[in-house]
Amino acid sequence: MAASDDLALKLLRNAEIFYPAKVLKVHHPTRRKEIASYIKVKNKRYSIFTLVDEECNAVFRKRTRQND
């Protein structure tokens, strides 16, 4: 979850975490985890979805804005 939060903070400038990261799904054949990180920039809130493998390498998948 820390790898996912670090990657999410690098994607947007002046961002901060407003809710702890959450594991949404574990892909059993590859053992990768789909993790959602929740960050905010000023008054906008985003959900950043990443895939993290066993070596803690995070790969960006999707970004969504909340409350639009």
Side-chain angles (χ1 to χ4, degrees), residues 25-43:
K25 186 187 295 184
V26 177
H27 299 272
H28 291 291
T30 60
R31 301 299 303 158
R32 294 193 298 182
K33 296 177 182 174
E34 184 176 330
I35 299 177
S37 295
Y38 304 99
I39 62 173
K40 70 177 181 175
V41 178
K42 297 183 182 176
N43 61 348

Side-chain angles (χ1 to χ4, degrees), residues 11-63:
L11 292 174
L12 299 171
R13 294 182 184 164
N14 301 323
E16 62 183 52
I17 297 170
F18 72 90
Y19 192 77
K22 185 191 300 186
V23 176
L24 300 177
K25 186 187 295 184
V26 177
H27 299 272
H28 291 291
T30 60
R31 301 299 303 158
R32 294 193 298 182
K33 296 177 182 174
E34 184 176 330
I35 299 177
S37 295
Y38 304 99
I39 62 173
K40 70 177 181 175
V41 178
K42 297 183 182 176
N43 61 348
K44 296 180 181 175
R45 295 173 184 253
Y46 298 94
S47 299
I48 307 290
F49 298 95
T50 58
L51 285 178
V52 180
D53 61 9
E54 291 178 345
E55 287 84 32
C56 293
N57 298 321
V59 178
F60 173 76
R61 284 293 167 217
K62 179 171 69 170
R63 174 187 62 95

